Amino acid sequence: MKTSTPIDTLRLDDDQDSLVIIDQTLLPTEICYLALQSQAEIWEAIQQLRVRGAPAIGIAAAYGIYLAVKHSTAGDQGAFLKEFQQASQYLASARPTAVNLFWALQRMENVITSQMEVEIPQLVAALRSEADAILAEDIRTNLAIGEHALSLLQPGDGLLTHCNAGGLATARYGTATAPIYLGQERGYAFKVFADETRPLLQGARLTTFELAQAGVDVTLICDNMAASVMQNGWVQAVLVGCDRVAANGDTANKIGTLGVAVLAHQFGIPFYVCAPSSTLDLATATGQLIPIEERDPQEIYRKWYQKPMAPEQGVKFYNPAFDITPAKYISAIISEYGIARPPFTTSLRAMLAN
Ligand code: MRU
């Protein structure tokens, strides 16, 4: 695909022992790359959303754990594994909701535990290959999601998306944006509405930035304008990403997604969740069991303003980073393997089995 963000979300610089990321907290006004070396730097970058979006977090963790043990002086494989697990636990504590973080770290650990007889330098090389594979698979996965999702859309459709499930949230192309980029190449002339996505404004700062760069017709709206835009008949489908999908199809995604799903239901608009298999967590039965990250309240009333936008005394704040969209509001869940329709309890398992 030609059209997509030309920016590398993240890459390994093996010579400099660093993970190079674009600092997403500074976009769209500043394009600044950071070379992260220590585990603390990588943890902070994930926690502060310098690198963010479920798939990108997983890839960052995979390279992060490789760098953590690359120069290990462990005397034997057992000690090496212990060192790995300590670093893994630390990275896993950066954010709780996106299952890709835990998925990627587990996949990296399996590389060691499946071949404990192999010498440590070879284990290190295998970890590097696995992290590269996770990144390469993410790109292929997103293209496949794009093709499947595009088959559900019509030329000229108005599309609404929430948060950023774009190239910046993945290695490339994004999940919910992949059909938009493919459609752009094929003359579909989509009209995309991007919710600003309070409080951290991933829609305003990141989605509009990357879609505009690709020449997509994109309109920024405040979150509370989605109802009116739908009422006007301007939206034919909603496309969102996700951080974790439970076995019954309940889906955790950026705070505000639930409201968009309820609105789409009310207006009879299909609501599509784009979910790489790395985000499907069939070990978690329902959305109620998905841990929801709560973040610093300052993000709501102070972060983007010169002055606080609420009294700092005498007011309580609540800042959950994600919400759960019940499966009943979801028209389809689209992975690299195809399109799952309700009832998801059976269709998700069937999709993964094929
Ligand atoms: O807090 P963020 O910015 O990491 O939240 C990101 C989202 O909610 C995305 O929609 C999700 O991770 C899917 S990214 C392909």
Side-chain angles (χ1 to χ4, degrees), residues 79-325:
F80 181 73
L81 178 62
K82 216 168 173 183
E83 205 178 298
F84 177 100
Q85 286 169 332
Q86 266 171 7
S88 178
Q89 264 180 22
Y90 174 60
L91 285 175
S93 70
R95 297 189 75 187
T97 305
V99 75
N100 304 59
L101 174 60
F102 314 102
W103 168 87
L105 289 169
Q106 186 58 55
R107 203 170 138 169
M108 295 293 279
E109 185 166 332
N110 295 347
V111 168
I112 305 175
T113 52
S114 64
Q115 44 183 344
M116 287 292 278
E117 70 292 350
V118 168
E119 295 298 325
I120 291 172
Q122 279 77 54
L123 287 177
V124 170
L127 287 171
R128 159 80 207 261
S129 303
E130 190 71 358
D132 288 343
I134 290 173
L135 184 144
E137 282 169 27
D138 185 59
I139 295 173
R140 287 198 297 275
T141 291
N142 297 336
L143 282 175
I145 289 174
E147 292 289 356
H148 294 307
L150 190 63
S151 73
L152 299 169
L153 307 174
Q154 299 300 319
D157 273 355
L159 307 173
L160 186 137
T161 189
H162 190 75
C163 193
N164 173 265
L168 287 163
T170 62
R172 211 170 296 160
Y173 307 128
T175 57
T177 55
I180 297 172
Y181 288 132
L182 281 175
Q184 177 73 4
E185 276 191 2
R186 298 176 193 172
Y188 274 59
F190 292 133
K191 292 181 172 49
V192 179
F193 292 91
D195 282 351
E196 63 174 345
T197 317
R198 271 186 53 83
L200 293 183
L201 306 179
Q202 291 93 332
R205 296 186 303 103
L206 309 176
T207 301
T208 63
F209 170 76
E210 55 168 275
L211 292 183
Q213 279 202 343
V216 174
D217 178 330
V218 57
T219 303
L220 174 65
I221 57 171
C222 298
D223 297 329
N224 55 9
M225 297 169 188
S228 149
V229 165
M230 289 183 186
Q231 190 181 47
N232 291 344
W234 296 343
V235 179
Q236 279 66 56
V238 174
L239 290 166
V240 296
C242 58
D243 283 73
R244 194 185 295 227
V245 179
N248 70 344
D250 291 352
T251 293
N253 191 47
K254 177 54 50 194
I255 190 74
T257 304
L258 169 59
V260 177
V262 173
L263 287 174
H265 183 77
Q266 171 67 24
F267 287 106
I269 297 167
F271 183 90
Y272 298 128
V273 172
C274 295
S277 58
S278 54
T279 309
L280 300 178
D281 180 11
L282 301 193
T284 296
T286 71
Q288 274 183 326
L289 299 168
I290 298 176
I292 299 294
E293 176 182 11
E294 272 193 52
R295 296 186 61 84
D296 186 341
Q298 288 212 22
E299 291 176 351
I300 302 180
Y301 68 91
R302 180 183 265 276
K303 186 174 175 72
W304 306 110
Y305 305 106
Q306 280 184 331
K307 296 177 190 167
M309 285 294 126
E312 291 181 277
Q313 305 298 323
V315 177
K316 293 191 276 186
F317 298 96
Y318 174 51
N319 184 20
F322 300 94
D323 56 26
I324 304 291
T325 299

